[in-house]
Amino acid sequence: MTTDAGAPWLIVGLGNPGPEYAMNRHNVGFMVADLLAERIGGRFKRAGKAQAQVIEGRIGPPGPAGRRVILAKPMSYMNLSGGPVNALRDFYKVPLAHVVAVHDELDIDYGVLRLKLGGGDNGHNGLKSMTKAMGPDYHRVRFGIGRPPGRMQVADFVLKDFASAERKELGYFVDRATDAVECLVIDGLERAQGTYNS
C-alpha cells in the first residue's frame, strides 16, 4: 500500500468522554492519547464540527525527519467513533494507512501489546464504527485487558475501572503503548511489531 510519506498521521485514542469513564478499561486509548499529548507538549482542543478533541504536533527527531501528527480523542462515545474520525481524516487529508487506532483488546492478556494493519473488529464497537465509516485498512495498537472473570458480561467488564492490582502496572503499560505508537509512526509497522508485539 503506497502512501505519501509526507502525509500527516492521525492517531486516535478510543474511549468514552466524561469523568465517570476516565479510568475504565475501555478508555485505555484515551490514556495513551493523553500521555502522547504530554510528550508532544500540546493541549487538546475541540475540533470544529468533528466532535473530537485534537492536538496537532510532531513526533520524532526535530526537522524533516519528524512526523506531522494529529492526535484525536472522539467525543461521540465509543460506538459512534467512526464519524468524527472520518471527518478528521477528510479535513486533514490523511491517507487511511496513516490512521492509527489505539484501543482495548479483550482477547489479549492484560498489558500485552499487538500492532497490526487492517483486520476485523473482534466485537469492539469503536473499531466497528471506524471500519463502517472508512474501511478496515488502518493501523491498530491493541492494548490487552484480558477476559472478564467468571460470568461477568463483557459490557460490564470493559466499563469498569482497572482493578487495584492492575493499576500498579498501568502507568508502565500505558507508557510502553505510547512508545509503540511513536515507533509505528516513525519507524514503520514491521519495526514496531518486532519491538513491541510481546
Side-chain angles (χ1 to χ4, degrees):
M1 189 183 310
T2 58
T3 58
D4 174 8
W9 286 75
L10 176 58
I11 301 166
V12 181
L14 291 178
N16 286 307
E20 67 273 33
Y21 298 107
M23 290 304 296
N24 286 182
R25 292 181 177 93
H26 223 19
N27 268 44
V28 76
F30 273 19
M31 296 174 200
V32 172
D34 286 338
L35 181 55
L36 199 50
E38 274 181 47
R39 292 184 183 184
I40 289 172
R43 297 182 68 151
F44 280 104
K45 60 181 190 294
R46 200 77 183 197
K49 299 175 182 173
Q51 220 183 345
Q53 290 185 346
V54 299
I55 294 173
E56 293 180 62
R58 297 186 88 80
I59 60 175
R67 299 282 191 271
R68 182 174 164 232
V69 296
I70 295 95
L71 182 58
K73 297 195 295 186
M75 293 286 116
S76 57
Y77 291 98
M78 182 70 86
N79 59 353
L80 298 172
S81 302
V85 174
N86 207 27
L88 291 172
R89 193 171 79 87
D90 286 347
F91 181 77
Y92 289 104
K93 299 182 171 44
V94 178
L96 187 54
H98 277 205
V99 175
V100 182
V102 185
H103 64 92
D104 57 303
E105 179 64 62
L106 286 159
D107 285 336
I108 303 175
D109 290 340
Y110 174 60
V112 173
L113 295 176
R114 291 277 188 279
L115 286 78
K116 68 174 188 172
L117 174 63
D121 57 56
N122 204 21
H124 192 288
N125 288 330
L127 296 182
K128 200 176 288 184
S129 178
M130 283 181 62
T131 297
K132 187 176 176 189
M134 310 183 300
D137 296 326
Y138 52 91
H139 287 90
R140 297 100 189 276
V141 175
R142 304 154 73 206
F143 185 112
I145 60 168
R147 301 293 304 182
R151 296 175 177 224
M152 185 187 288
Q153 295 295 310
V154 164
D156 295 333
F157 178 69
V158 298
L159 292 175
K160 277 202 175 351
D161 288 359
F162 284 100
S164 55
E166 292 172 325
R167 282 201 295 274
K168 289 177 182 157
E169 294 183 294
L170 183 59
Y172 167 77
F173 289 140
V174 168
D175 195 64
R176 191 164 182 272
T178 308
D179 291 344
V181 171
E182 291 185 332
C183 183
L184 168 62
V185 170
I186 295 162
D187 297 320
L189 179 61
E190 202 171 313
R191 172 75 64 86
Q193 285 175 325
T195 307
Y196 294 99
N197 275 17
S198 37

